[in-house]
Structures are given as structure tokens and as C-alpha cells.
Amino acid sequence: MARCELTHVARSPIDVELARQQHRRYADVLASLGCRIIELSAEPALPDSVFVEDTAVVLDEIAVITRPGAESRRLETLSVAATLQRHRRCVLVKGPGTLDGGDVLRVGRRLFVGRSSRSNAEGIRQLADAVAPHGYEVVPVEVRGCLHLKSAVTQVGADTLLINDDWVDRATWPGMRFIPVAPEEPHAANAACIGDAVVHSASGPRTRARLEAAGLRVMPVDVSEMEKAEGAITCCSVIFA
Ligand code: CIR
């Protein structure tokens, strides 16, 4: 993890043993919410491989295996594809396309995709081609100042998005309700919605208070070591039915 990719975050020492404990606790929280955990083997040669979200976009109908924008991360898709092909028909993003799963926010039958330093127009086009036959529309979204679209916005309720307004424009989602992150917690817009629970980072207590004030049930999880690697809550899993 010490050799992880970093784009908007300064490098600081990562306690790998603590990261392991946090990861175990994260998996336990998902399991407590009814998820069946499929755990992949560690990839010691791939420093960002804990962030499996970036390697695949899984829908009910198919899985799109990405081609991560960071070259150091391309081999991560092999083990993920080998596992996912037991659950879905897999379609691969091919070069020169690049796509990171962290850029893909699904809201109903729409996939909003961040045009980031990791996901390019060709990758987004290939995703759109793969999902169109299944009735999904792909909507490219401009993001600024953060790594991925889901660093800036995630879904926390049927009609509610958690958002950092500095990084993405809420006009992209007309008709949705918004909960803005607390100003002192810019990284707190990343959350995973599982059933009626919102899994959220323990590093965002003020934002958590806003979620709770909106009537949401929040499960805080400490992912401090993943955050030093510019990862967050959604990055550490690929959640599918
Ligand atoms: C990277 O820069 O690719 C990793 N250090 C962090 C990836 C985080 N993934 C995510 O937000 N989906």
C-alpha cells in the first residue's frame, strides 16, 4: 500500500496491519447488513488492489471489466474477472479506453460516469455500448478537484444524493434531493447504501450528523488507512445482487 497511486492526497505512512483490521471490520459490517462476502486473495505486487470497485461495473445483467486509468492498476482486473465470470457475463473495456469503477454512479437505469483523470471518452463510450442493450443510459459528468465521481457524490436514499458541491455540479441530477457534506469534511461524500443502511467513513462525523438528521441509518466504519491511499468506503467492494 505504501506504493499506492496518489493524485490529490499527500503521501503519509500507512499502517498496513491497521488497514487489515479495518478491512476485516468493513467486511463484517457488510456481512451484518446481509451481504455474502466473496473475498479475493491478496495481491502483494499490486499496491492498490484492495480498491476492487475500480476494476468492475456489475449490473444485474452483465459485468463490465474495466481498464483502470492508472497503468500500475491494470493487472488488478484479472483476478476480479476470474471471480465475476462465475456470476455474470463479462465484457471487457479495451485500450485505448480507460475506466475506473469509482467513476460510475448508478441511479436507477442511468449510469453517471465521471470524466476524470482515470476514465476517458473512449472508455465511457465502450461502457455505454455494453450496457445500452440492457436498457441503461450512460451520462458523462464533469468532475474537478477529486479522484473519481464517487469521491464527489454517492446515493444515500431512493431520491437522495450525498454531495460535495465543490467537485461536481448538482444540476446533473434534476429532481433529486441533496445532502451536502459538512464544509470541513470534503472527502465525506462517499457512502455505500445497503438496504436501509448507509455505510459511511468514521472520519466524517459532521456529515454523518447531517445524514442522521435526514432520517438515514448510518453505519460508521473507520477506513483511515484506506483514506491515506485515496480510497474510501465504496472502493473496497463491488456490491451486486
Ligand atoms: C488510486 O489512486 O487508484 C488508489 N490509490 C485509490 C483508488 C480509490 N478507489 C476509488 O475511489 N474507487
Side-chain angles (χ1 to χ4, degrees), residues 200-219:
H200 188 248
S201 169
S203 67
R206 292 190 174 85
T207 302
R208 175 170 135 212
R210 292 178 174 212
L211 293 165
E212 287 172 342
L216 296 164
R217 181 163 78 96
V218 183
M219 306 274 292

Side-chain angles (χ1 to χ4, degrees), residues 2 13 36 62 67 83 98 135 137 164 189 203:
R36 182 167 71 86
I62 56 162
R67 182 168 178 270
T83 299
T98 63
E137 183 195 352
N164 178 330
S203 67

Side-chain angles (χ1 to χ4, degrees), residues 10 18 20 27 35 46 84 89 94 109 147 162 187 215 231 240:
L18 180 56
R20 280 202 188 94
C35 298
L46 299 173
L84 281 176
R89 186 172 72 81
K94 298 183 187 69
R109 305 301 286 186
L147 183 60
L162 177 61
H187 294 280
F240 55 95

Side-chain angles (χ1 to χ4, degrees), residues 20 22-41 50 52 83-84 86-87 192 194 199 221 233-234 236-241:
R20 280 202 188 94
Q22 292 177 344
H23 189 258
R24 216 168 294 132
R25 165 87 188 127
Y26 172 83
D28 287 348
V29 168
L30 297 197
S32 78
L33 294 171
C35 298
R36 182 167 71 86
I37 307 294
I38 304 169
E39 203 162 318
L40 276 64
S41 304
V50 68
V52 288
T83 299
L84 281 176
R86 296 201 277 272
H87 301 271
I194 302 174
V199 184
V221 183
I233 291 287
T234 60
C236 300
S237 56
V238 177
I239 299 172
F240 55 95

